[in-house]
Amino acid sequence: MTDEATSKPALPDHLSTDPRSPHHIPAVFEHPIGIRFNGKDRLDVEEYCISEGWIKVPAGRTLDRKGYPLLIKLKGAVEVYYRD
């Protein structure tokens, strides 16, 4: 059980699911991640920053001009953890 805990990389302060982003770390996504925002678990988070206290989530089905989901920033308490 300790091997599993040590094999997981530390969760960064700023992480993005978009591979084009400089904040995308593929090794972290090999394990299921949970994000709790203002006390509620969120499954639709595209990017987060713990120190600044915000998450970015898709704004419905709206797309930007390049065809990617349009993201909105929500501010509040962000907690990130590995789900088991």
Side-chain angles (χ1 to χ4, degrees):
M1 192 163 172
T2 57
D3 292 334
E4 290 179 16
T6 57
S7 67
K8 294 179 184 177
L11 290 167
D13 176 60
H14 190 158
L15 185 66
S16 175
T17 60
D18 186 2
R20 301 171 293 145
S21 172
H23 301 289
H24 180 77
I25 303 170
V28 173
F29 292 107
E30 294 176 2
H31 309 283
I33 298 172
I35 299 174
R36 188 171 293 120
F37 181 70
N38 289 337
K40 293 184 180 181
D41 287 334
R42 297 287 301 245
L43 301 174
D44 59 345
V45 176
E46 295 286 329
E47 188 172 353
Y48 72 80
C49 183
I50 298 170
S51 63
E52 295 177 12
W54 55 261
I55 61 172
K56 288 187 179 179
V57 295
R61 294 183 182 175
T62 309
L63 302 177
D64 67 5
R65 62 185 173 173
K66 295 181 180 178
Y68 297 107
L70 189 65
L71 301 177
I72 57 173
K73 184 187 279 190
L74 303 174
K75 293 188 175 199
V78 180
E79 299 174 46
V80 182
Y81 57 93
Y82 281 115
R83 287 188 279 156
D84 292 327

